[in-house]
Amino acid sequence: MERTVAETIRDISREHIAKHNGILLGQCLTAVGWVQNTVPAQAEGIVELPMTDVSGAGIAVGAAIMGRRPIFIIRFQSLLWLNASPIVNHAAKAKSVFGYPAPVFVRAIGSEGDSTGPIHTNCFHSLFMHMPGLPVCAPMTPNEYVQIWNWYMTHDDPLLVSEHRRSYTSRQEMPDQVHHDAHITIYAMSAARFNAVEAVEVLGHRGVRCNLVHLLWLKPFDLTQRVMEPLKASGHGIVVDSAYEIAGASQSVAYELMYATGCPVKAVGQADRSPGVAKRLENGTPTTMRIVDTVEMMLRDV
Amino acid sequence: MSIERGIAQGPQQPRMVRSPDWGMMEGLAEACSPERSLAMFRKMCLTRYFDLRVRQAQLDNDIECLIYLSVGQEAVAAAVAVVMEGCYVLGQHRGHSVYLSFGGRPERLADELLGMSTGCCGGMGGSPPSHDFERKIVAHNGLIGDQVPVAAGIALAAPGERVICFFGDGAAEEDYVLATLGFVATKKLPLLFVCEDNDLSVLTPTVERRNWSVVDVAQGFGLNAVDITDDPWLIEYWTTTLADQLPAIINIRTCREFWHNGTGSDNNAEWSRFDLTKAKLTEIGLRDKARAIELEIKTFVEDLWNERLQRRSAI
């Protein structure tokens, strides 16, 4: 049986510690569940940090300077705000300003629902796409995780990995879906990819044929033929993401696509309001039906 | 050996203990070898005359970037450096003294301040990030105190290496600095913190910013800690003593002669450690050798700057 995403992360971490003198740092790593089963249940190579956000990230950056290629775990992306400074001001600038690298692998875990409300409904990769020197990716499948890990180990940049709890139990790969007669192309990032897959199915039943292009790398975002051609052929696009829509990854990618192709592309992400705890007040990844409605609205306006 | 507390007045009056003889011990200069005394003075001269030349270069419009001069604070890095050779060292934003005292190449720092590609950051960083990584001098990103957790990470990740981390009395107030002191004490990392306490955050004195002392807080975390003035022999003594009792912190009262950044002067330095050091060297019979060193360094620095300026003109 194929591994889940969580099992893949755990195996990579274990091998990194055993074979590469790697080090893994974070808060409450050895608590119940070992960070949703993504951390190997062992003492070797694992550093339990005190609850010192900001300082913790700086410690990880110091380990990176010494070549230990640390895995720095942020259990909730809400905490990225506190940990951002050493990552963007030191690690991301090190190569271009200082001339030596500080490759730290930042595992930033997104979550939503289950009463996480305003505290831990979070997906803030857009914030980090803003900063130079810091590639950003959002792997949602086992093979994608292996791919971005191999990239990290063969480059000397820090890497912001926007994970999402929703992916951890998944064993599925998510290939692009491209049709010669599609009405629209959906570009999907982070956990929005799971909803986008469902939306494509719903829309298919309603007679709307969709291309679906999965985006693993948010920055750099390369306008490759794979990315551009489906949009050019379908003439319309939407970009869906788990993060806030306003000034976020979805709007940024939509802009790039529109500018490159001249096709209208709508961005769909979290609404511009704080999420609430109550079910009716949640504000997470755009739901399947919100994606469906947006597509139908776009095509209605044609 | 037990470590004595250096705070006499308690944390309510941190400013009261500022004096040129705070924590002084009799006979240290006399007991120090002439070679080591002169080595410290040589490093002090290098920092002082290099930075005075930097100041002149900015007044002449040869340097356009922000400059953070170590003039007045030369003794701190100079005395620590003669004891802690070969360690990883992280300076603060006012870091020329650390860079020069720990063996950073002066021409690379001059080139950096002149915006040349041969500078230690290729012209990208200017004054605060001065570093020479090949010589274990790690860069600072300009945000005060940022280097403190990074230093802890280096000590954690490099077993067997001792690490020195300088920061200022303002940086000591950063939450991430305090958190790092706790982490380092918990993990018993081989790290020596040196707080260059000039009593000023830009121009706001310590007493207006906090009612606690760095040493009290550090001791609360379990670090060995002393609070002393910037006499080079006293620093050398405590660095030697604490080097075997890491992690530890030395809070050193010192005086900044020029602006937080730039060339002007906005406070009357309470004492001149450079002059006091020269007087002491005379007292212990090293006047002529010290004078020769001072002249040699002045000439070296002037020649260096003339040569680097000519190089830039030729580009």
Side-chain angles (χ1 to χ4, degrees), chain A:
Chain A
M1 183 183 284
E2 296 295 321
R3 294 181 299 183
T4 64
V5 169
E7 289 164 349
T8 304
I9 298 170
R10 191 184 58 203
D11 291 350
I12 284 171
S13 304
R14 184 186 291 116
E15 184 175 300
H16 185 50
I17 292 167
K19 293 187 178 174
H20 305 124
N21 192 29
I23 188 171
L24 195 152
L25 308 97
Q27 298 170 352
C28 306
L29 302 181
T30 57
V32 176
W34 296 78
V35 192
Q36 289 81 52
N37 205 27
T38 62
V39 171
Q42 62 185 54
E44 184 195 354
I46 294 178
V47 178
E48 275 285 5
L49 293 172
M51 306 304 283
T52 53
D53 292 291
V54 189
S55 171
I59 292 166
V61 171
I65 290 170
M66 296 313 293
R68 296 289 296 275
R69 290 200 170 257
I71 299 171
F72 178 51
I73 300 175
I74 297 176
R75 293 175 304 121
F76 295 100
Q77 289 199 18
S78 318
L79 304 172
L80 270 174
W81 295 93
L82 293 170
N83 284 281
S85 181
I87 297 167
V88 300
N89 289 312
H90 206 117
K93 290 178 183 174
K95 225 167 66 166
S96 64
V97 177
F98 309 150
Y100 58 79
V104 53
F105 187 89
V106 182
R107 284 188 53 205
I109 302 173
S111 60
E112 62 189 41
D114 297 329
S115 299
T116 50
I119 303 160
H120 287 319
T121 299
N122 50 51
C123 193
F124 297 119
H125 46 237
S126 306
L127 178 73
F128 291 82
M129 291 168 64
H130 189 62
M131 299 305 295
L134 183 62
V136 179
C137 61
M140 292 292 127
T141 77
N143 285 349
E144 286 177 355
Y145 212 96
V146 171
Q147 186 184 329
I148 62 104
W149 176 257
N150 289 338
W151 185 93
Y152 169 68
M153 291 298 285
T154 52
H155 293 72
D156 58 6
D157 302 280
L159 182 61
L160 193 290
V161 185
S162 179
E163 299 178 7
H164 203 286
R165 283 191 184 198
R166 191 167 163 191
S167 75
Y168 285 162
T169 55
S170 175
R171 301 177 195 275
Q172 303 298 316
E173 296 303 318
M174 289 194 276
D176 290 349
Q177 299 176 35
V178 179
H179 310 280
H180 68 89
D181 56 350
H183 300 99
I184 194 166
T185 301
I186 299 174
Y187 295 88
M189 297 179 277
S190 184
R193 293 169 59 184
F194 298 103
N195 292 355
V197 169
E198 293 175 2
V200 166
E201 198 173 331
V202 172
L203 286 161
H205 289 309
R206 296 183 181 186
V208 178
R209 191 178 289 273
C210 302
N211 295 324
L212 176 56
V213 176
H214 293 282
L215 300 179
L216 167 60
W217 287 94
L218 313 187
K219 183 185 179 181
F221 172 63
D222 292 328
L223 289 164
T224 60
Q225 197 172 8
R226 169 191 155 249
V227 170
M228 299 266 284
E229 292 307 317
L231 177 60
K232 286 180 182 171
S234 64
H236 295 81
I238 73 167
V239 183
V240 295
D241 183 26
S242 296
Y244 280 108
E245 180 181 311
I246 188 164
S250 56
Q251 285 192 351
S252 172
V253 168
Y255 165 82
E256 294 287 347
L257 289 166
M258 265 196 286
Y259 193 79
T261 65
C263 301
V265 182
K266 177 88 175 75
V268 183
Q270 274 183 288
D272 187 23
R273 66 172 175 80
S274 292
V277 169
K279 197 79 178 167
R280 65 186 170 80
L281 297 173
E282 285 182 351
N283 179 24
T285 299
T287 63
T288 299
M289 289 316 297
R290 188 173 163 214
I291 297 170
V292 168
D293 291 346
T294 305
V295 167
E296 290 186 331
M297 184 189 67
M298 272 196 88
L299 295 178
R300 222 177 15 245
D301 292 343
V302 173

Side-chain angles (χ1 to χ4, degrees), chain B residues 5-315:
Chain B
R5 295 181 63 151
I7 297 289
Q9 303 293 327
Q12 289 76 26
Q13 302 287 346
R15 205 171 150 76
M16 297 299 287
V17 298
R18 287 188 61 79
S19 76
D21 56 359
W22 175 244
M24 284 289 274
M25 300 165 69
E26 292 294 322
L28 291 180
E30 290 77 4
C32 187
S33 73
E35 292 77 19
R36 180 162 276 198
S37 294
L38 293 171
M40 289 192 291
F41 184 64
R42 176 178 290 277
K43 290 179 186 294
M44 288 176 67
C45 287
L46 181 58
T47 293
R48 186 171 190 85
Y49 290 111
F50 187 94
D51 264 6
L52 288 172
R53 188 61 186 83
V54 171
R55 178 174 181 266
Q56 187 59 49
Q58 182 149 85
L59 291 170
D60 294 342
N61 295 320
D62 287 324
I63 290 176
E64 295 177 340
C65 65
L66 296 175
I67 54 171
Y68 301 81
L69 301 175
S70 299
V71 178
Q73 304 186 183
E74 307 92 347
V76 179
V80 175
V82 296
V83 179
M84 303 285 279
E85 287 182 347
C87 301
Y88 278 96
V89 59
L90 295 92
Q92 55 160 326
H93 64 286
R94 190 177 313 288
H96 297 179
S97 57
V98 168
Y99 179 95
L100 294 167
S101 294
F102 282 84
R105 285 161 278 189
E107 69 278 9
R108 286 165 53 93
L109 179 54
D111 288 0
E112 182 63 29
L113 298 172
L114 292 168
M116 296 164 68
S117 60
T118 45
C120 54
C121 294
M124 285 288 288
S127 178
S130 50
H131 74 89
D132 200 330
F133 197 67
E134 292 169 17
R135 299 184 178 189
K136 294 188 171 182
I137 303 167
V138 182
H140 186 272
N141 76 11
L143 303 179
I144 65 167
D146 171 272
Q147 76 281 15
V148 177
V150 172
I154 288 174
L156 178 77
E161 295 277 1
R162 290 187 304 179
V163 180
I164 312 162
C165 181
F166 291 80
F167 58 88
D169 55 284
E173 293 154 21
E174 294 283 7
D175 41 11
Y176 43 89
V177 170
L178 296 171
T180 303
L181 296 182
F183 177 78
V184 167
T186 301
K187 299 290 184 184
K188 296 184 169 50
L189 298 177
L191 219 157
L192 176 65
F193 295 108
V194 179
C195 182
E196 297 182 273
D197 185 347
N198 62 22
D199 193 38
L200 296 171
S201 179
V202 184
L203 201 55
T204 303
T206 309
V207 73
E208 293 181 24
R209 311 193 312 263
R210 56 175 149 99
N211 66 350
W212 48 269
S213 82
V214 173
V215 163
D216 278 347
V217 170
Q219 287 179 328
F221 280 126
L223 292 168
N224 293 313
V226 290
D227 192 348
I228 58 175
T229 192
D230 61 353
D231 175 78
W233 291 278
L234 186 63
I235 298 169
E236 188 266 351
Y237 169 80
W238 278 113
T239 304
T240 303
T241 301
L242 291 171
D244 295 327
Q245 300 180 45
L246 302 179
I249 182 168
I250 310 177
N251 189 76
I252 300 173
R253 312 284 174 152
T254 188
C255 302
R256 187 188 82 201
E257 289 189 21
F258 295 112
W259 282 341
H260 166 64
N261 70 64
T263 59
S265 181
D266 52 13
N267 69 97
N268 295 319
E270 296 141 283
W271 63 86
S272 168
R273 181 56 62 190
F274 192 76
D275 289 346
L276 289 169
T277 302
K278 285 204 295 185
K280 191 67 184 180
L281 286 166
T282 297
E283 196 179 313
I284 60 176
L286 295 173
R287 184 190 64 179
D288 293 344
K289 288 182 178 175
R291 280 184 176 173
I293 288 171
E294 190 174 4
L295 182 61
E296 177 197 329
I297 296 294
K298 271 185 183 177
T299 305
F300 166 76
V301 167
E302 196 54 40
D303 290 349
L304 173 87
W305 274 90
N306 288 338
E307 195 252 338
R308 303 327 282 184
L309 285 165
Q310 280 176 10
R311 275 182 185 246
R312 191 175 73 164
S313 299
I315 294 173

